[in-house]
Amino acid sequence: MRRAFDKQDMAPVAQALLARAEADQLDANAYLDFAITLQLTGDRDVAMDVQAEGVRIRPRYTLPARRGEMLRLLVIMGLGDLMANTPIEFLLEDSDVTLEMLYVTAEAPWPEVVPEHDVMMVCMGENDANQPLLARLSEWIAGWPRPVVNAPERIAVLSRDGVCNALAGIDGVEMPQTVRLARERVAALAAAPEILRSLLPDGVFPLIVRPLGSHAGHDLDKIDTPADLAAYLERVPAGQFYLSRFVDYRGANGLFGKYRVVLVDGRPFLAHFASSEHWMVHYLNAGMGESEAKRALEAEAMARFDDGFALRHREALAEIDRRIGLPYVGMDCAETPDGRLLVFEVDNAMIVHAMDDEATYPYKKPAMRKIFTAFRQMLENARSQR
């Protein structure tokens, strides 16, 4: 991941892993690493096939603690890309925690005996494919003899419409209603916009539309008119979509600012703050590396987070934490011009990392270290409950 982040040539890595897998077709470690490398080079479909084969060969993997082991964490994961599970390797990089990573699938039998561990953490993210697995996990771990972090039934609520329903009515929080619609219903809306309120009670144009399961802005669009919606359907072949109304959150500086906040045992931390001229803000396309002014805004947001953003939204964040009920979860959000907390997404699998170049982002490593320290303490707190 660090090599790819630093824009190094990944071809030699991929070739070496492929050679390993061809030399030993039972080398599951090579399959899994090769799958990650393929994702980083943009070969997602092939990567998912390689990953599935690796997990079929062996569902369990161990990452030893980089420093003397003080805690053993059993991680339950599902198949999928780099945004399908909590990015646990980033959160515990160079730590004293040994990871026992267990992949579970619908096809393979689940183990009767699991690796010895102090704490279990469910890292599987929410999506339609994982919903049955999360339900099965809830039954599988009932009465588990070790502490469990992030209960699967709580993760199951984290669909975009599920989060919207869970957070409805919180004072100081703006989260537009989100509905899941089949393609035929969206087409009907494009042809007859007067039915919008029957589909989306608070709906007005412009709308935000995206296919189910999309992340990082893939096929996400702002729809200003019914004609735009019809044109969108012509180029996006998905069968189901999420729709919600658009909220203009542009700041006084003319930029849209998006916070990635992590809640660890209920305490908020800032993972990043991206500013963009465009309403769809993603850290990697916001031009942060090219703009000293944008990095200055992020540095200020991080320096003042505890007595600024976190203080302004203290009660709202506490209520979000109470309703979501996960010791570790991420949230992409913003502030509206009138000061409300605008929530875009809540997810236990958001990427949180410390790979940014320290020369360009000197303020980020201390902020990330706070998150990692809190995460490690969360695991210690969980262990003490046994």
Side-chain angles (χ1 to χ4, degrees):
M1 286 291 290
R2 286 191 175 277
R3 293 185 188 191
F5 204 79
D6 292 338
K7 297 183 171 55
Q8 296 181 23
D9 183 9
M10 299 298 291
V13 179
Q15 290 166 2
L17 290 167
L18 177 59
R20 271 182 55 188
E22 289 177 338
D24 180 359
Q25 296 186 9
L26 296 180
D27 187 347
N29 285 302
Y31 278 83
L32 211 62
D33 284 345
F34 186 39
I36 294 173
T37 305
L38 288 169
Q39 290 183 66
L40 297 173
T41 55
D43 237 337
R44 184 187 184 280
D45 291 343
V46 177
M48 294 300 93
D49 291 340
V50 173
Q51 180 194 63
E53 180 63 14
V55 170
R56 185 194 66 78
I57 295 169
R58 193 176 75 220
R60 173 192 167 188
Y61 299 83
T62 302
L63 285 179
R66 292 291 187 91
R67 295 185 282 117
E69 179 188 308
M70 297 299 292
L71 186 142
R72 187 169 287 262
L73 178 65
L74 175 61
V75 176
I76 308 298
M77 306 178 75
L79 297 177
D81 60 23
L82 296 170
M83 294 177 286
N85 296 283
T86 304
I88 193 72
E89 300 96 328
F90 291 151
L91 295 168
L92 292 171
E93 186 178 13
D94 295 326
S95 79
D96 60 358
V97 176
T98 289
L99 292 177
E100 295 287 358
M101 306 167 73
L102 178 64
Y103 285 83
V104 295
T105 67
E107 294 76 22
W110 292 17
E112 295 183 6
V113 178
V114 300
E116 183 57 38
H117 59 282
D118 301 299
V119 179
M120 173 199 281
M121 180 170 178
V122 180
C123 288
M124 183 185 299
E126 188 285 327
N127 57 48
D128 278 8
N130 282 350
Q131 282 287 354
L133 292 175
L134 290 167
R136 185 176 170 188
L137 264 174
S138 292
E139 298 179 0
W140 193 57
I141 66 174
W144 199 258
R146 297 287 184 272
V148 177
V149 173
N150 279 11
E153 61 271 18
R154 293 286 190 170
I155 295 172
V157 175
L158 299 183
S159 64
R160 293 184 185 275
D161 50 343
V163 170
C164 173
N165 294 332
L167 303 189
I170 298 179
D171 287 343
V173 172
E174 173 76 13
M175 189 173 190
Q177 289 183 306
T178 299
V179 292
R180 180 187 300 212
L181 295 177
R183 184 180 186 85
E184 295 74 18
R185 301 294 299 279
V186 180
L189 173 61
E194 63 273 10
I195 70 172
L196 176 57
R197 286 301 180 94
S198 67
L199 301 174
L200 186 63
D202 69 344
V204 292
F205 284 91
L207 298 170
I208 297 294
V209 60
R210 76 176 77 215
L212 259 66
S214 72
H215 291 281
H218 184 66
D219 286 331
L220 169 66
D221 213 339
K222 181 165 75 77
I223 304 297
D224 294 312
T225 67
D228 291 340
L229 187 57
Y232 174 86
L233 290 174
E234 288 182 4
R235 67 177 186 272
V236 180
Q240 293 194 76
F241 300 88
Y242 283 123
L243 262 71
S244 61
R245 62 179 169 84
F246 172 73
V247 176
D248 191 341
Y249 60 100
R250 192 193 315 260
N253 60 3
L255 299 174
F256 295 91
K258 188 195 76 173
Y259 297 80
R260 175 157 292 179
V261 174
V262 179
L263 296 174
V264 186
D265 266 346
R267 183 181 172 189
F269 297 87
L270 182 58
H272 69 227
F273 175 70
S275 300
S276 176
E277 294 77 10
H278 192 273
W279 64 268
M280 184 170 56
V281 185
H282 292 286
Y283 200 88
L284 293 179
N285 67 12
M288 298 295 293
E290 295 74 36
S291 173
E292 186 176 346
K294 290 180 179 180
R295 294 196 301 275
L297 290 173
E298 182 176 43
E300 181 179 21
M302 287 186 161
R304 298 185 176 182
F305 182 75
D306 289 340
D307 56 5
F309 183 98
L311 192 59
R312 290 194 297 275
H313 304 293
R314 180 177 55 188
E315 294 181 4
L317 291 168
E319 182 61 13
I320 289 170
D321 173 65
R322 188 188 70 80
R323 294 193 188 188
I324 296 299
L326 291 169
Y328 176 82
V329 73
M331 178 173 67
D332 281 346
C333 55
E335 291 181 291
T336 62
D338 62 358
R340 287 170 295 161
L341 178 64
L342 174 62
V343 177
F344 300 123
E345 182 180 7
V346 179
D347 190 357
N348 66 311
M350 288 180 175
I351 299 294
V352 176
H353 66 81
M355 295 191 295
D356 293 289
D357 176 58
E358 289 187 61
T360 306
Y361 303 89
Y363 53 87
K364 289 197 76 172
K365 193 165 186 178
M368 302 314 297
R369 182 52 52 195
K370 288 172 64 176
I371 296 175
F372 302 155
T373 299
F375 185 84
R376 178 64 180 85
Q377 185 60 51
M378 178 199 73
L379 296 178
E380 202 61 45
N381 296 343
R383 173 161 60 178
S384 69
Q385 298 171 8
R386 58 187 293 181

